[in-house]
Coordinates of all heavy atoms in Angstrom, one line a residue:
M1168 N 13.2 7.8 -0.3 CA 12.0 7.9 -1.2 C 12.3 9.0 -2.2 O 12.7 10.1 -2.0 CB 10.8 8.4 -0.4 CG 9.6 8.8 -1.2 SD 8.7 7.5 -2.2 CE 8.2 6.4 -1.0
K1169 N 12.2 8.5 -3.5 CA 12.3 9.5 -4.6 C 10.8 9.7 -5.1 O 10.0 8.8 -5.2 CB 13.1 8.8 -5.7 CG 14.5 8.6 -5.4 CD 15.3 8.0 -6.6 CE 16.7 7.7 -6.1 NZ 17.4 7.0 -7.2
I1170 N 10.6 11.0 -5.4 CA 9.2 11.4 -5.8 C 9.4 12.1 -7.2 O 10.2 13.1 -7.3 CB 8.5 12.3 -4.8 CG1 8.4 11.6 -3.5 CG2 7.2 12.7 -5.4 CD1 8.0 12.6 -2.4
A1171 N 8.7 11.6 -8.2 CA 8.8 12.2 -9.5 C 7.4 12.6 -9.9 O 6.4 11.9 -9.7 CB 9.4 11.3 -10.5
R1172 N 7.2 13.8 -10.4 CA 5.9 14.4 -10.8 C 6.0 14.6 -12.3 O 6.9 15.2 -12.8 CB 5.6 15.6 -10.0 CG 4.3 16.2 -10.4 CD 4.1 17.5 -9.5 NE 2.8 18.1 -9.9 CZ 2.1 18.8 -9.1 NH1 2.4 19.0 -7.9 NH2 1.0 19.3 -9.6
R1173 N 5.0 14.1 -13.0 CA 4.9 14.4 -14.5 C 3.5 14.6 -14.9 O 2.5 14.2 -14.2 CB 5.5 13.3 -15.3 CG 4.9 11.9 -15.1 CD 5.6 10.9 -16.0 NE 5.1 9.5 -15.6 CZ 4.0 8.9 -16.1 NH1 3.3 9.6 -17.0 NH2 3.7 7.7 -15.8
S1174 N 3.3 15.3 -16.0 CA 2.0 15.5 -16.6 C 1.7 14.3 -17.5 O 2.5 13.7 -18.2 CB 2.0 16.8 -17.4 OG 2.2 17.8 -16.5
A1175 N 0.4 14.0 -17.5 CA -0.1 12.9 -18.4 C -1.2 13.5 -19.3 O -1.5 14.7 -19.2 CB -0.6 11.7 -17.6
G1176 N -1.8 12.7 -20.2 CA -2.8 13.2 -21.1 C -4.0 13.8 -20.3 O -4.3 13.4 -19.2
G1177 N -4.6 14.8 -21.0 CA -5.8 15.4 -20.4 C -5.6 16.2 -19.2 O -6.5 16.6 -18.5
G1178 N -4.3 16.6 -19.0 CA -4.0 17.5 -17.8 C -3.8 16.8 -16.5 O -3.7 17.4 -15.5
A1179 N -3.9 15.4 -16.6 CA -3.7 14.7 -15.3 C -2.3 14.7 -14.8 O -1.3 15.0 -15.6 CB -4.1 13.2 -15.6
T1180 N -2.1 14.5 -13.5 CA -0.8 14.5 -12.9 C -0.5 13.1 -12.4 O -1.3 12.5 -11.8 CB -0.7 15.5 -11.7 OG1 -1.0 16.8 -12.2 CG2 0.6 15.5 -11.1
V1181 N 0.7 12.7 -12.6 CA 1.2 11.4 -12.1 C 2.3 11.6 -11.1 O 3.3 12.3 -11.4 CB 1.7 10.4 -13.2 CG1 2.2 9.1 -12.6 CG2 0.6 10.2 -14.2
I1182 N 2.1 11.1 -9.9 CA 3.2 11.2 -8.8 C 3.7 9.8 -8.7 O 3.0 8.9 -8.3 CB 2.6 11.6 -7.5 CG1 1.8 12.9 -7.6 CG2 3.7 11.7 -6.4 CD1 2.6 14.1 -7.9
A1183 N 5.0 9.6 -9.1 CA 5.7 8.3 -9.0 C 6.5 8.2 -7.7 O 7.3 9.1 -7.4 CB 6.5 8.1 -10.2
L1184 N 6.2 7.2 -6.9 CA 6.9 7.0 -5.6 C 7.9 5.8 -5.8 O 7.5 4.7 -6.2 CB 5.9 6.7 -4.5 CG 4.8 7.7 -4.3 CD1 3.9 7.3 -3.2 CD2 5.4 9.1 -4.1
D1185 N 9.1 6.0 -5.4 CA 10.2 5.0 -5.5 C 10.9 4.9 -4.1 O 11.6 5.8 -3.7 CB 11.2 5.4 -6.5 CG 12.3 4.4 -6.8 OD1 12.3 3.4 -6.0 OD2 13.0 4.5 -7.7
G1186 N 10.6 3.8 -3.4 CA 11.2 3.6 -2.1 C 10.1 3.3 -1.0 O 9.1 2.8 -1.3
E1187 N 10.4 3.7 0.2 CA 9.5 3.4 1.3 C 8.7 4.6 1.7 O 9.3 5.7 1.9 CB 10.3 2.9 2.5 CG 11.0 1.6 2.3 CD 11.7 1.1 3.5 OE1 11.7 1.7 4.6 OE2 12.3 0.0 3.4
L1188 N 7.4 4.4 1.8 CA 6.5 5.5 2.3 C 6.2 5.3 3.7 O 5.3 4.4 4.1 CB 5.2 5.5 1.4 CG 4.1 6.5 1.8 CD1 4.6 7.9 2.0 CD2 3.0 6.5 0.7
D1189 N 6.8 6.0 4.6 CA 6.7 5.8 6.0 C 6.7 7.1 6.7 O 6.7 8.2 6.1 CB 7.8 4.8 6.6 CG 9.2 5.3 6.2 OD1 9.4 6.5 5.9 OD2 10.1 4.5 6.3
L1190 N 6.8 7.1 8.0 CA 6.8 8.3 8.9 C 7.9 9.3 8.4 O 7.6 10.5 8.4 CB 7.0 7.9 10.3 CG 6.9 9.1 11.3 CD1 5.5 9.7 11.3 CD2 7.2 8.6 12.7
A1191 N 9.0 8.8 8.1 CA 10.1 9.7 7.7 C 9.9 10.4 6.4 O 10.3 11.5 6.2 CB 11.4 8.9 7.7
T1192 N 9.3 9.7 5.4 CA 9.1 10.3 4.1 C 7.7 10.9 3.8 O 7.5 11.5 2.8 CB 9.3 9.2 3.0 OG1 8.4 8.1 3.2 CG2 10.8 8.7 3.1
A1193 N 6.8 10.7 4.8 CA 5.4 11.1 4.7 C 5.2 12.6 4.4 O 4.4 12.9 3.5 CB 4.6 10.7 5.9
P1194 N 5.9 13.5 5.0 CA 5.7 14.9 4.8 C 5.9 15.3 3.3 O 5.1 16.0 2.7 CB 6.6 15.6 5.7 CG 6.9 14.7 6.9 CD 6.8 13.3 6.2
E1195 N 7.0 14.8 2.7 CA 7.3 15.1 1.3 C 6.3 14.5 0.4 O 5.9 15.1 -0.6 CB 8.7 14.6 1.0 CG 9.2 15.0 -0.3 CD 10.6 14.4 -0.6 OE1 11.2 13.7 0.2 OE2 11.2 14.8 -1.7
V1196 N 5.9 13.3 0.7 CA 4.9 12.6 -0.2 C 3.5 13.3 0.0 O 2.9 13.6 -1.0 CB 4.8 11.1 0.2 CG1 3.6 10.5 -0.5 CG2 6.1 10.4 -0.1
R1197 N 3.2 13.7 1.2 CA 1.9 14.4 1.4 C 1.8 15.7 0.6 O 0.9 16.0 0.0 CB 1.6 14.6 2.9 CG 0.3 15.2 3.1 CD 0.0 15.5 4.6 NE -1.3 15.8 4.9 CZ -1.9 17.0 4.5 NH1 -1.2 17.9 3.9 NH2 -3.2 17.2 4.7
E1198 N 2.9 16.4 0.7 CA 3.0 17.7 0.0 C 2.8 17.5 -1.5 O 2.0 18.2 -2.2 CB 4.3 18.4 0.2 CG 4.5 19.7 -0.4 CD 5.8 20.4 -0.1 OE1 6.4 20.2 1.0 OE2 6.3 21.2 -1.0
A1199 N 3.5 16.5 -2.1 CA 3.4 16.2 -3.5 C 2.0 15.7 -3.9 O 1.4 16.3 -4.9 CB 4.4 15.2 -4.0
V1200 N 1.4 14.8 -3.2 CA 0.1 14.2 -3.5 C -1.0 15.2 -3.3 O -1.9 15.4 -4.2 CB -0.1 12.9 -2.8 CG1 -1.5 12.4 -3.0 CG2 0.9 11.8 -3.2
M1201 N -1.1 15.8 -2.1 CA -2.1 16.7 -1.8 C -2.0 18.0 -2.6 O -3.1 18.6 -3.0 CB -2.2 17.0 -0.3 CG -2.5 15.8 0.6 SD -4.0 14.9 0.1 CE -5.2 16.2 0.6
G1202 N -0.8 18.4 -3.0 CA -0.7 19.5 -3.9 C -1.3 19.3 -5.2 O -1.9 20.1 -5.8
A1203 N -1.1 18.1 -5.7 CA -1.6 17.7 -7.0 C -3.1 17.6 -7.0 O -3.8 18.0 -7.9 CB -1.0 16.4 -7.5
V1204 N -3.6 17.0 -5.9 CA -5.1 16.9 -5.7 C -5.8 18.2 -5.6 O -6.8 18.5 -6.2 CB -5.4 16.0 -4.5 CG1 -6.9 16.1 -4.1 CG2 -5.0 14.6 -4.7
G1205 N -5.2 19.1 -4.9 CA -5.7 20.5 -4.6 C -5.6 21.4 -5.8 O -6.5 22.3 -6.0
N1206 N -4.7 21.2 -6.7 CA -4.4 22.1 -7.8 C -4.8 21.6 -9.1 O -4.4 22.1 -10.2 CB -2.9 22.5 -7.8 CG -2.5 23.3 -6.6 OD1 -3.4 24.1 -6.0 ND2 -1.3 23.2 -6.1
N1207 N -5.5 20.5 -9.2 CA -5.7 19.8 -10.5 C -7.2 19.4 -10.6 O -7.6 18.6 -9.9 CB -4.8 18.6 -10.6 CG -4.8 18.0 -11.9 OD1 -5.6 18.4 -12.8 ND2 -3.8 17.1 -12.2
G1208 N -7.8 20.1 -11.5 CA -9.2 19.7 -11.8 C -9.3 18.4 -12.6 O -10.4 17.8 -12.7
A1209 N -8.2 18.0 -13.2 CA -8.1 16.7 -13.9 C -7.8 15.6 -13.0 O -7.8 15.7 -11.8 CB -7.1 16.9 -15.1
G1210 N -7.3 14.5 -13.5 CA -7.0 13.3 -12.8 C -5.7 13.4 -12.0 O -4.8 14.2 -12.4
V1211 N -5.6 12.6 -11.0 CA -4.3 12.5 -10.3 C -4.1 11.0 -10.1 O -5.0 10.2 -9.7 CB -4.4 13.2 -8.9 CG1 -3.1 12.9 -8.1 CG2 -4.6 14.7 -9.0
A1212 N -2.9 10.5 -10.4 CA -2.5 9.1 -10.2 C -1.2 9.1 -9.4 O -0.3 9.9 -9.5 CB -2.3 8.5 -11.6
V1213 N -1.2 8.1 -8.6 CA 0.0 7.8 -7.8 C 0.6 6.4 -8.3 O -0.1 5.4 -8.2 CB -0.3 7.7 -6.3 CG1 1.0 7.4 -5.5 CG2 -0.9 9.0 -5.8
D1214 N 1.7 6.5 -8.9 CA 2.4 5.3 -9.4 C 3.1 4.6 -8.2 O 4.2 5.1 -7.7 CB 3.3 5.6 -10.5 CG 3.9 4.4 -11.2 OD1 3.9 3.3 -10.6 OD2 4.5 4.6 -12.3
M1215 N 2.6 3.5 -7.8 CA 3.2 2.8 -6.6 C 4.1 1.6 -7.0 O 4.5 0.8 -6.2 CB 2.0 2.3 -5.7 CG 1.1 3.3 -5.2 SD 1.7 4.2 -3.8 CE 1.7 2.9 -2.6
S1216 N 4.3 1.5 -8.3 CA 5.0 0.3 -8.8 C 6.5 0.1 -8.2 O 7.0 -1.0 -8.1 CB 5.1 0.2 -10.3 OG 5.7 1.4 -10.8
A1217 N 7.1 1.2 -7.8 CA 8.4 1.1 -7.2 C 8.4 1.4 -5.7 O 9.4 1.5 -5.1 CB 9.4 2.1 -7.9
C1218 N 7.2 1.5 -5.1 CA 7.1 1.7 -3.7 C 7.2 0.3 -3.0 O 6.4 -0.6 -3.3 CB 5.7 2.3 -3.4 SG 5.5 2.7 -1.6
T1219 N 8.2 0.1 -2.2 CA 8.5 -1.2 -1.6 C 7.8 -1.4 -0.2 O 7.8 -2.5 0.2 CB 10.0 -1.4 -1.5 OG1 10.5 -0.3 -0.7 CG2 10.6 -1.4 -2.9
F1220 N 7.4 -0.3 0.4 CA 6.9 -0.4 1.8 C 6.0 0.8 2.0 O 6.2 1.9 1.6 CB 8.0 -0.4 2.8 CG 7.6 -0.4 4.2 CD1 7.3 -1.6 4.9 CD2 7.4 0.8 4.9 CE1 6.8 -1.6 6.2 CE2 7.0 0.8 6.3 CZ 6.7 -0.4 6.9
I1221 N 4.9 0.5 2.8 CA 4.0 1.6 3.2 C 3.6 1.3 4.7 O 3.3 0.1 5.0 CB 2.8 1.8 2.3 CG1 2.0 3.0 2.7 CG2 1.9 0.6 2.2 CD1 0.9 3.4 1.6
D1222 N 3.6 2.3 5.5 CA 3.1 2.1 6.9 C 1.7 2.9 7.0 O 1.2 3.4 6.0 CB 4.1 2.5 7.9 CG 4.4 4.0 8.0 OD1 3.7 4.8 7.3 OD2 5.2 4.4 8.8
S1223 N 1.2 2.9 8.2 CA -0.1 3.6 8.4 C -0.1 5.1 8.1 O -1.1 5.6 7.7 CB -0.6 3.3 9.8 OG 0.3 3.9 10.8
T1224 N 1.1 5.7 8.3 CA 1.2 7.1 8.0 C 1.0 7.3 6.5 O 0.3 8.2 6.0 CB 2.6 7.7 8.4 OG1 2.8 7.3 9.8 CG2 2.6 9.2 8.3
G1225 N 1.7 6.5 5.7 CA 1.6 6.6 4.2 C 0.2 6.3 3.7 O -0.4 6.9 2.9
L1226 N -0.4 5.2 4.3 CA -1.8 4.9 4.0 C -2.7 6.0 4.3 O -3.6 6.3 3.4 CB -2.2 3.6 4.8 CG -3.6 3.1 4.6 CD1 -3.8 2.6 3.1 CD2 -4.0 2.1 5.6
R1227 N -2.6 6.7 5.4 CA -3.4 7.8 5.7 C -3.4 8.9 4.7 O -4.4 9.5 4.3 CB -3.1 8.3 7.1 CG -4.0 9.5 7.6 CD -3.6 10.0 9.0 NE -2.2 10.2 9.2 CZ -1.6 11.4 8.9 NH1 -2.2 12.3 8.3 NH2 -0.3 11.5 9.1
I1228 N -2.2 9.2 4.2 CA -2.0 10.2 3.2 C -2.8 9.9 1.9 O -3.5 10.7 1.4 CB -0.5 10.4 2.8 CG1 0.2 11.0 4.0 CG2 -0.4 11.3 1.6 CD1 1.7 10.9 3.8
L1229 N -2.7 8.7 1.5 CA -3.4 8.3 0.2 C -4.9 8.2 0.4 O -5.7 8.5 -0.5 CB -2.8 7.0 -0.3 CG -1.3 7.1 -0.7 CD1 -0.8 5.7 -1.1 CD2 -1.1 8.1 -1.8
V1230 N -5.3 7.7 1.6 CA -6.8 7.7 1.9 C -7.3 9.1 2.0 O -8.4 9.4 1.4 CB -7.1 6.9 3.2 CG1 -8.5 7.1 3.7 CG2 -6.8 5.4 3.0
E1231 N -6.6 10.0 2.6 CA -7.0 11.4 2.7 C -7.1 12.0 1.3 O -8.1 12.7 1.0 CB -6.0 12.2 3.5 CG -6.2 13.7 3.6 CD -5.1 14.5 4.3 OE1 -4.1 13.9 4.7 OE2 -5.3 15.7 4.4
A1232 N -6.1 11.8 0.4 CA -6.2 12.3 -1.0 C -7.4 11.6 -1.7 O -8.1 12.3 -2.5 CB -4.9 12.0 -1.7
G1233 N -7.6 10.3 -1.5 CA -8.7 9.7 -2.2 C -10.1 10.3 -1.7 O -11.0 10.5 -2.5
R1234 N -10.2 10.5 -0.4 CA -11.4 11.1 0.1 C -11.7 12.5 -0.5 O -12.8 12.9 -0.8 CB -11.4 11.1 1.6 CG -11.7 9.8 2.2 CD -11.8 9.8 3.7 NE -12.1 8.5 4.2 CZ -11.7 8.1 5.4 NH1 -11.0 8.8 6.2 NH2 -12.0 6.8 5.7
K1235 N -10.6 13.3 -0.6 CA -10.7 14.7 -1.1 C -11.2 14.6 -2.6 O -12.0 15.4 -3.0 CB -9.4 15.4 -1.0 CG -9.5 16.9 -1.4 CD -8.3 17.7 -1.0 CE -8.5 19.1 -1.4 NZ -7.4 20.0 -1.0
M1236 N -10.6 13.7 -3.3 CA -11.0 13.6 -4.7 C -12.4 13.1 -4.8 O -13.2 13.5 -5.7 CB -10.0 12.7 -5.5 CG -8.7 13.4 -5.7 SD -7.6 12.6 -6.8 CE -8.5 12.9 -8.4
Q1237 N -12.8 12.1 -4.0 CA -14.2 11.6 -4.0 C -15.2 12.7 -3.7 O -16.2 12.8 -4.3 CB -14.3 10.5 -2.9 CG -15.5 9.7 -3.0 CD -15.5 8.5 -2.0 OE1 -15.1 8.6 -0.9 NE2 -16.1 7.4 -2.5
E1238 N -14.8 13.6 -2.8 CA -15.7 14.8 -2.6 C -15.9 15.6 -3.8 O -16.9 16.3 -4.0 CB -15.1 15.6 -1.4 CG -15.2 15.0 -0.1 CD -14.4 15.8 1.0 OE1 -13.8 16.8 0.6 OE2 -14.3 15.3 2.1
Q1239 N -14.9 15.6 -4.7 CA -14.9 16.4 -5.9 C -15.5 15.6 -7.1 O -15.5 16.0 -8.2 CB -13.5 16.9 -6.3 CG -12.9 17.7 -5.2 CD -11.4 17.9 -5.5 OE1 -10.8 17.4 -6.4 NE2 -10.8 18.7 -4.6
G1240 N -16.0 14.4 -6.8 CA -16.6 13.5 -7.8 C -15.6 12.8 -8.7 O -15.8 12.4 -9.8
R1241 N -14.4 12.7 -8.1 CA -13.3 12.0 -8.9 C -12.7 10.9 -8.0 O -13.1 10.7 -6.9 CB -12.2 13.0 -9.2 CG -12.6 14.2 -10.0 CD -11.5 15.2 -10.3 NE -11.0 15.8 -9.1 CZ -9.8 16.3 -9.0 NH1 -8.9 16.1 -9.9 NH2 -9.4 16.9 -7.8
K1242 N -11.8 10.1 -8.6 CA -11.1 9.0 -7.9 C -9.6 9.2 -8.0 O -9.2 9.7 -9.0 CB -11.5 7.6 -8.4 CG -12.9 7.2 -8.2 CD -13.2 5.8 -8.6 CE -14.6 5.4 -8.3 NZ -14.8 4.0 -8.6
L1243 N -8.9 8.9 -7.0 CA -7.5 8.8 -7.0 C -7.0 7.5 -7.7 O -7.4 6.5 -7.2 CB -6.9 8.9 -5.6 CG -5.4 8.9 -5.5 CD1 -4.8 10.2 -6.1 CD2 -4.9 8.8 -4.0
A1244 N -6.3 7.6 -8.7 CA -5.8 6.4 -9.4 C -4.5 5.9 -8.7 O -3.6 6.7 -8.4 CB -5.5 6.8 -10.9
L1245 N -4.5 4.7 -8.4 CA -3.3 4.0 -7.9 C -2.8 3.0 -8.9 O -3.5 2.1 -9.4 CB -3.6 3.3 -6.6 CG -4.1 4.1 -5.4 CD1 -4.5 3.2 -4.2 CD2 -3.1 5.1 -5.0
I1246 N -1.5 3.1 -9.3 CA -1.0 2.3 -10.4 C 0.1 1.4 -9.8 O 0.9 1.9 -9.0 CB -0.3 3.2 -11.5 CG1 -1.3 4.2 -12.1 CG2 0.3 2.3 -12.6 CD1 -0.7 5.3 -12.9
G1247 N 0.1 0.1 -10.2 CA 1.1 -0.8 -9.8 C 1.2 -1.1 -8.3 O 2.3 -1.4 -7.8
L1248 N 0.1 -1.2 -7.6 CA 0.0 -1.5 -6.2 C 0.2 -3.0 -6.1 O -0.5 -3.8 -6.6 CB -1.4 -1.1 -5.7 CG -1.6 -1.1 -4.2 CD1 -0.6 -0.1 -3.5 CD2 -3.0 -0.6 -3.9
R1249 N 1.3 -3.4 -5.4 CA 1.6 -4.8 -5.2 C 2.4 -5.1 -3.9 O 2.8 -4.1 -3.2 CB 2.4 -5.3 -6.4 CG 3.7 -4.5 -6.7 CD 4.5 -4.9 -8.0 NE 3.7 -5.3 -9.1 CZ 3.2 -4.4 -10.0 NH1 3.5 -3.1 -9.9 NH2 2.5 -4.8 -11.0
D1250 N 2.7 -6.3 -3.7 CA 3.5 -6.8 -2.5 C 3.0 -6.2 -1.2 O 1.8 -6.2 -0.9 CB 5.0 -6.5 -2.8 CG 5.5 -7.2 -4.0 OD1 5.0 -8.3 -4.3 OD2 6.3 -6.6 -4.7
Q1251 N 3.9 -5.7 -0.4 CA 3.5 -5.3 1.0 C 2.6 -4.1 0.9 O 1.6 -4.1 1.7 CB 4.8 -4.9 1.8 CG 4.6 -4.6 3.2 CD 4.2 -3.1 3.5 OE1 4.4 -2.2 2.6 NE2 3.8 -2.8 4.7
P1252 N 2.8 -3.1 0.1 CA 1.8 -2.0 0.0 C 0.4 -2.5 -0.3 O -0.6 -2.0 0.3 CB 2.3 -1.0 -1.1 CG 3.8 -1.3 -1.0 CD 3.9 -2.7 -0.8
L1253 N 0.2 -3.4 -1.3 CA -1.1 -4.0 -1.6 C -1.7 -4.7 -0.4 O -2.9 -4.5 -0.1 CB -0.9 -5.0 -2.8 CG -2.2 -5.7 -3.2 CD1 -3.3 -4.7 -3.6 CD2 -1.9 -6.7 -4.3
K1254 N -0.9 -5.4 0.3 CA -1.4 -6.2 1.5 C -1.9 -5.2 2.6 O -3.0 -5.4 3.2 CB -0.4 -7.1 2.1 CG -0.1 -8.3 1.2 CD 1.0 -9.1 1.8 CE 1.4 -10.2 0.8 NZ 2.5 -11.0 1.2
I1255 N -1.2 -4.1 2.7 CA -1.7 -3.1 3.7 C -3.0 -2.5 3.3 O -3.9 -2.3 4.1 CB -0.6 -2.0 3.9 CG1 0.7 -2.5 4.5 CG2 -1.1 -0.8 4.7 CD1 0.5 -3.1 5.9
F1256 N -3.1 -2.1 2.0 CA -4.4 -1.6 1.5 C -5.5 -2.6 1.7 O -6.6 -2.2 2.1 CB -4.3 -1.2 0.0 CG -3.9 0.2 -0.2 CD1 -2.5 0.6 -0.2 CD2 -4.8 1.2 -0.4 CE1 -2.1 1.9 -0.3 CE2 -4.4 2.6 -0.6 CZ -3.1 2.9 -0.6
E1257 N -5.3 -3.9 1.4 CA -6.3 -4.9 1.5 C -6.7 -5.0 3.0 O -7.9 -5.2 3.3 CB -5.8 -6.2 0.9 CG -5.7 -6.2 -0.6 CD -5.1 -7.5 -1.1 OE1 -4.4 -8.2 -0.4 OE2 -5.3 -7.7 -2.3
L1258 N -5.8 -5.1 3.9 CA -6.1 -5.2 5.3 C -6.9 -4.0 5.8 O -7.8 -4.1 6.6 CB -4.8 -5.4 6.1 CG -4.2 -6.8 6.0 CD1 -2.8 -6.7 6.7 CD2 -5.0 -7.8 6.6
A1259 N -6.4 -2.8 5.5 CA -7.1 -1.6 6.0 C -8.4 -1.3 5.4 O -9.3 -0.8 6.0 CB -6.1 -0.4 5.8
L1260 N -8.5 -1.5 4.1 CA -9.7 -1.1 3.3 C -10.7 -2.2 3.1 O -11.9 -2.0 2.9 CB -9.4 -0.5 2.0 CG -8.5 0.7 2.0 CD1 -8.2 1.2 0.6 CD2 -9.1 1.9 2.8
G1261 N -10.3 -3.5 3.3 CA -11.2 -4.6 3.0 C -11.8 -4.4 1.6 O -11.0 -4.3 0.6
G1262 N -13.1 -4.4 1.4 CA -13.7 -4.3 0.1 C -14.1 -2.8 -0.2 O -14.8 -2.6 -1.2
H1263 N -13.6 -1.9 0.6 CA -14.0 -0.5 0.4 C -13.0 0.3 -0.4 O -12.3 1.2 0.2 CB -14.3 0.1 1.8 CG -15.4 -0.6 2.5 ND1 -16.7 -0.5 2.2 CD2 -15.3 -1.5 3.5 CE1 -17.4 -1.3 3.0 NE2 -16.6 -1.9 3.8
W1264 N -12.9 0.1 -1.7 CA -11.9 0.7 -2.5 C -12.6 1.9 -3.4 O -12.0 2.3 -4.3 CB -11.3 -0.3 -3.5 CG -10.5 -1.3 -2.8 CD1 -10.9 -2.4 -2.1 CD2 -9.0 -1.3 -2.8 NE1 -9.8 -3.1 -1.6 CE2 -8.6 -2.5 -2.1 CE3 -8.1 -0.5 -3.4 CZ2 -7.3 -2.8 -1.9 CZ3 -6.7 -0.9 -3.2 CH2 -6.4 -2.0 -2.4
E1265 N -13.8 2.3 -3.0 CA -14.6 3.1 -3.9 C -13.9 4.5 -4.2 O -14.2 5.1 -5.2 CB -16.0 3.3 -3.5 CG -16.3 3.6 -2.1 CD -16.2 2.4 -1.1 OE1 -16.6 1.3 -1.4 OE2 -15.8 2.7 0.0
M1266 N -13.0 4.9 -3.4 CA -12.3 6.2 -3.6 C -11.1 6.1 -4.5 O -10.5 7.1 -4.9 CB -11.9 6.9 -2.3 CG -10.8 6.2 -1.6 SD -10.5 6.9 0.1 CE -11.7 6.0 1.0
F1267 N -10.8 4.9 -4.9 CA -9.6 4.6 -5.7 C -10.0 4.0 -7.0 O -10.9 3.2 -7.1 CB -8.6 3.7 -5.0 CG -8.1 4.3 -3.7 CD1 -8.5 3.7 -2.5 CD2 -7.2 5.4 -3.7 CE1 -8.0 4.3 -1.3 CE2 -6.8 5.9 -2.5 CZ -7.2 5.4 -1.3
D1268 N -9.2 4.2 -8.0 CA -9.2 3.5 -9.3 C -7.9 2.8 -9.4 O -6.8 3.5 -9.6 CB -9.4 4.5 -10.4 CG -9.5 3.8 -11.8 OD1 -9.6 2.6 -11.9 OD2 -9.4 4.6 -12.8
V1269 N -7.8 1.5 -9.2 CA -6.6 0.8 -9.1 C -6.4 0.1 -10.4 O -7.2 -0.7 -10.9 CB -6.6 -0.3 -7.9 CG1 -5.3 -1.0 -7.8 CG2 -7.0 0.4 -6.6
T1270 N -5.2 0.3 -11.0 CA -4.8 -0.3 -12.2 C -3.4 -1.1 -12.0 O -2.7 -0.7 -11.1 CB -4.6 0.6 -13.4 OG1 -3.6 1.6 -13.1 CG2 -5.9 1.3 -13.7
D1271 N -3.2 -2.1 -12.8 CA -2.0 -2.9 -12.7 C -1.7 -3.4 -11.3 O -0.7 -3.2 -10.7 CB -0.8 -2.1 -13.2 CG 0.5 -2.9 -13.4 OD1 0.3 -4.1 -13.5 OD2 1.6 -2.4 -13.3
R1272 N -2.8 -3.9 -10.7 CA -2.7 -4.5 -9.3 C -2.2 -5.9 -9.4 O -2.7 -6.7 -10.0 CB -4.1 -4.4 -8.7 CG -4.3 -4.9 -7.3 CD -5.7 -4.6 -6.9 NE -6.1 -5.3 -5.8 CZ -7.3 -5.2 -5.2 NH1 -8.2 -4.3 -5.7 NH2 -7.6 -5.9 -4.2
G1273 N -1.1 -6.1 -8.6 CA -0.5 -7.4 -8.7 C -0.3 -8.0 -7.3 O -0.6 -7.4 -6.3
G1274 N 0.2 -9.2 -7.3 CA 0.4 -9.9 -6.0 C 1.8 -10.1 -5.6 O 2.8 -9.7 -6.0

C-alpha cells in the first residue's frame, strides 16, 4: 500500500491510497486518515481510485473516519470508489451512505 497525502483547495486534505487496504496495511492507513480527520477543520478526501482491495478492517477505518467527521457536521469524501472496494461498501452500508460524499463512483 502506498499512501500519499496532499493539500487541496480550501485547506482540505486528500489521502490517496494505492494498493490493498487490509489487515496488514490498516495501521498505516488509519494513522494517515484519522490524523487528517482529527487535525483538519476543512475537508478530508480519500482517493480510492488506485485501491484494488479492501477488507473489513479497511472498511472499519473509513467508517470510523466518516462517523467522526459526521459528528463534526462534515462528510468524508471518497473519490474513485470502484470494483471490489465499491462492492464491499455497497454490501456493508446498503443505502446508508450519509457519512460519505462519494464522487467518481464507478462499477
Side-chain angles (χ1 to χ4, degrees):
M1168 169 66 64
K1169 294 180 186 174
I1170 303 170
R1172 182 179 175 150
R1173 64 180 166 84
S1174 295
T1180 300
V1181 177
I1182 307 292
L1184 305 180
D1185 184 350
E1187 297 185 358
L1188 175 48
D1189 56 18
L1190 183 61
T1192 61
E1195 185 180 7
V1196 172
R1197 185 181 191 288
E1198 182 178 331
V1200 173
M1201 295 306 290
V1204 169
N1206 294 327
N1207 191 348
V1211 177
V1213 179
D1214 184 344
M1215 303 281 294
S1216 59
C1218 182
T1219 57
F1220 176 85
I1221 187 171
D1222 69 4
S1223 61
T1224 309
L1226 178 68
R1227 181 178 48 83
I1228 292 167
L1229 297 176
V1230 168
E1231 179 185 0
R1234 285 187 177 148
K1235 185 169 183 175
M1236 289 194 68
Q1237 191 175 38
E1238 289 170 2
Q1239 300 167 359
R1241 303 181 292 151
K1242 291 185 177 188
L1243 179 65
L1245 298 176
I1246 303 166
L1248 193 57
R1249 57 185 38 87
D1250 300 326
Q1251 188 271 351
L1253 175 61
K1254 289 177 186 174
I1255 294 298
F1256 269 84
E1257 289 174 339
L1258 286 171
L1260 299 178
H1263 301 283
W1264 292 77
E1265 46 285 320
M1266 71 188 82
F1267 300 109
D1268 181 13
V1269 182
T1270 58
D1271 189 26
R1272 180 173 161 177

